[in-house]
Short mmCIF file of all heavy atoms in Angstrom, two decimals:
data_model
loop_
_atom_site.label_atom_id
_atom_site.label_comp_id
_atom_site.label_asym_id
_atom_site.label_seq_id
_atom_site.Cartn_x
_atom_site.Cartn_y
_atom_site.Cartn_z
N GLU A 20 -0.97 -5.77 11.86
CA GLU A 20 -0.93 -5.14 13.18
C GLU A 20 0.50 -4.87 13.62
O GLU A 20 0.84 -3.77 14.08
CB GLU A 20 -1.64 -6.03 14.19
CG GLU A 20 -1.63 -5.50 15.60
CD GLU A 20 -2.27 -6.48 16.58
OE1 GLU A 20 -3.31 -7.09 16.23
OE2 GLU A 20 -1.70 -6.66 17.67
N THR A 21 1.37 -5.85 13.47
CA THR A 21 2.76 -5.72 13.91
C THR A 21 3.52 -4.69 13.08
O THR A 21 4.24 -3.85 13.63
CB THR A 21 3.47 -7.09 13.86
OG1 THR A 21 2.72 -8.01 14.66
CG2 THR A 21 4.89 -6.99 14.39
N LEU A 22 3.36 -4.73 11.77
CA LEU A 22 4.07 -3.78 10.90
C LEU A 22 3.49 -2.37 11.01
O LEU A 22 4.11 -1.42 10.53
CB LEU A 22 4.07 -4.28 9.45
CG LEU A 22 4.89 -5.55 9.23
CD1 LEU A 22 4.73 -6.04 7.80
CD2 LEU A 22 6.36 -5.32 9.56
N GLY A 23 2.35 -2.24 11.67
CA GLY A 23 1.78 -0.93 11.96
C GLY A 23 2.42 -0.26 13.16
O GLY A 23 2.17 0.91 13.44
N GLU A 24 3.28 -0.98 13.86
CA GLU A 24 4.01 -0.45 15.02
C GLU A 24 5.38 0.04 14.57
O GLU A 24 5.88 -0.38 13.53
CB GLU A 24 4.20 -1.56 16.05
CG GLU A 24 2.91 -2.16 16.57
CD GLU A 24 3.13 -3.42 17.39
OE1 GLU A 24 4.31 -3.82 17.58
OE2 GLU A 24 2.14 -4.00 17.83
N PRO A 25 6.03 0.90 15.37
CA PRO A 25 7.39 1.33 15.03
C PRO A 25 8.34 0.13 14.91
O PRO A 25 8.41 -0.70 15.82
CB PRO A 25 7.79 2.23 16.20
CG PRO A 25 6.50 2.72 16.75
CD PRO A 25 5.53 1.57 16.58
N GLY A 26 9.02 0.05 13.78
CA GLY A 26 9.92 -1.07 13.55
C GLY A 26 11.31 -0.86 14.11
O GLY A 26 11.99 -1.81 14.46
N ASN A 27 11.75 0.40 14.13
CA ASN A 27 13.09 0.71 14.65
C ASN A 27 14.17 -0.15 14.02
O ASN A 27 15.08 -0.61 14.70
CB ASN A 27 13.12 0.59 16.18
CG ASN A 27 12.10 1.49 16.85
OD1 ASN A 27 11.99 2.65 16.49
ND2 ASN A 27 11.35 0.94 17.78
N GLY A 28 14.05 -0.40 12.71
CA GLY A 28 15.06 -1.16 12.00
C GLY A 28 15.01 -2.66 12.22
O GLY A 28 15.93 -3.38 11.83
N ARG A 29 13.93 -3.15 12.82
CA ARG A 29 13.82 -4.60 13.06
C ARG A 29 13.41 -5.36 11.79
O ARG A 29 13.00 -4.77 10.79
CB ARG A 29 12.79 -4.90 14.15
CG ARG A 29 13.25 -4.51 15.54
CD ARG A 29 12.19 -4.78 16.58
NE ARG A 29 11.04 -3.90 16.34
CZ ARG A 29 9.83 -4.09 16.85
NH1 ARG A 29 9.59 -5.14 17.62
NH2 ARG A 29 8.85 -3.25 16.61
N VAL A 30 13.51 -6.67 11.87
CA VAL A 30 13.08 -7.57 10.80
C VAL A 30 11.97 -8.46 11.35
O VAL A 30 12.15 -9.11 12.38
CB VAL A 30 14.25 -8.45 10.29
CG1 VAL A 30 13.77 -9.46 9.26
CG2 VAL A 30 15.37 -7.58 9.71
N LEU A 31 10.84 -8.48 10.66
CA LEU A 31 9.73 -9.34 11.06
C LEU A 31 9.88 -10.69 10.39
O LEU A 31 9.94 -10.78 9.16
CB LEU A 31 8.38 -8.71 10.68
CG LEU A 31 7.15 -9.52 11.10
CD1 LEU A 31 7.09 -9.66 12.63
CD2 LEU A 31 5.88 -8.86 10.57
N VAL A 32 9.95 -11.75 11.20
CA VAL A 32 10.04 -13.12 10.69
C VAL A 32 8.68 -13.77 10.91
O VAL A 32 8.23 -13.89 12.06
CB VAL A 32 11.16 -13.91 11.41
CG1 VAL A 32 11.15 -15.36 10.96
CG2 VAL A 32 12.51 -13.26 11.14
N VAL A 33 8.04 -14.15 9.81
CA VAL A 33 6.68 -14.70 9.85
C VAL A 33 6.71 -16.18 9.48
O VAL A 33 7.03 -16.53 8.35
CB VAL A 33 5.76 -13.95 8.87
CG1 VAL A 33 4.34 -14.52 8.93
CG2 VAL A 33 5.77 -12.46 9.15
N ASP A 34 6.39 -17.04 10.45
CA ASP A 34 6.24 -18.46 10.17
C ASP A 34 4.79 -18.67 9.75
O ASP A 34 3.90 -18.76 10.58
CB ASP A 34 6.58 -19.29 11.39
CG ASP A 34 6.42 -20.78 11.15
OD1 ASP A 34 5.90 -21.19 10.08
OD2 ASP A 34 6.82 -21.56 12.04
N GLY A 35 4.58 -18.70 8.44
CA GLY A 35 3.24 -18.91 7.89
C GLY A 35 2.96 -20.37 7.60
O GLY A 35 2.07 -20.69 6.80
N GLY A 36 3.72 -21.26 8.24
CA GLY A 36 3.50 -22.69 8.07
C GLY A 36 3.87 -23.21 6.69
O GLY A 36 3.54 -24.34 6.34
N GLY A 37 4.54 -22.38 5.90
CA GLY A 37 4.94 -22.81 4.55
C GLY A 37 3.79 -22.86 3.57
O GLY A 37 3.93 -23.39 2.47
N SER A 38 2.64 -22.30 3.93
CA SER A 38 1.47 -22.36 3.05
C SER A 38 1.73 -21.64 1.74
O SER A 38 2.26 -20.53 1.72
CB SER A 38 0.25 -21.72 3.73
OG SER A 38 -0.82 -21.64 2.80
N GLN A 39 1.33 -22.27 0.66
CA GLN A 39 1.41 -21.66 -0.66
C GLN A 39 0.02 -21.56 -1.27
O GLN A 39 -0.15 -21.62 -2.48
CB GLN A 39 2.38 -22.46 -1.55
CG GLN A 39 3.79 -22.38 -1.00
CD GLN A 39 4.82 -22.93 -1.94
OE1 GLN A 39 4.67 -22.91 -3.15
NE2 GLN A 39 5.90 -23.44 -1.38
N ARG A 40 -0.98 -21.35 -0.39
CA ARG A 40 -2.37 -21.22 -0.85
C ARG A 40 -2.88 -19.79 -0.82
O ARG A 40 -3.97 -19.51 -1.32
CB ARG A 40 -3.28 -22.10 0.00
CG ARG A 40 -2.90 -23.58 -0.13
CD ARG A 40 -3.88 -24.49 0.52
NE ARG A 40 -4.12 -24.17 1.93
CZ ARG A 40 -4.74 -24.98 2.77
NH1 ARG A 40 -5.18 -26.16 2.34
NH2 ARG A 40 -4.92 -24.65 4.02
N CYS A 41 -2.10 -18.87 -0.23
CA CYS A 41 -2.47 -17.45 -0.21
C CYS A 41 -1.24 -16.64 0.18
O CYS A 41 -0.24 -17.18 0.61
CB CYS A 41 -3.62 -17.19 0.76
SG CYS A 41 -3.20 -17.43 2.49
N ALA A 42 -1.35 -15.31 0.03
CA ALA A 42 -0.24 -14.41 0.36
C ALA A 42 -0.45 -13.80 1.75
O ALA A 42 -1.57 -13.50 2.14
CB ALA A 42 -0.13 -13.31 -0.68
N LEU A 43 0.65 -13.60 2.45
CA LEU A 43 0.61 -12.99 3.77
C LEU A 43 1.08 -11.54 3.77
O LEU A 43 0.81 -10.81 4.71
CB LEU A 43 1.46 -13.80 4.75
CG LEU A 43 0.97 -15.23 5.00
CD1 LEU A 43 1.96 -16.00 5.85
CD2 LEU A 43 -0.41 -15.22 5.64
N VAL A 44 1.78 -11.13 2.73
CA VAL A 44 2.27 -9.76 2.60
C VAL A 44 2.01 -9.29 1.17
O VAL A 44 2.30 -10.01 0.22
CB VAL A 44 3.78 -9.66 2.91
CG1 VAL A 44 4.32 -8.26 2.62
CG2 VAL A 44 4.06 -10.04 4.35
N GLY A 45 1.45 -8.07 1.05
CA GLY A 45 1.23 -7.44 -0.24
C GLY A 45 1.73 -6.02 -0.22
O GLY A 45 2.38 -5.59 0.74
#
């Protein structure tokens, strides 16, 4: 949802809790 919005050169920082059981970005 967030990356579907205009980024205007921003950086998205995602705190995924350090989980290594699945991927959050593909």
Side-chain angles (χ1 to χ4, degrees):
E20 178 184 319
T21 303
L22 293 175
E24 300 169 1
N27 302 314
R29 289 178 294 163
V30 175
L31 182 62
V32 175
V33 181
D34 180 352
S38 173
Q39 295 190 29
R40 299 188 305 193
C41 67
L43 296 173
V44 173

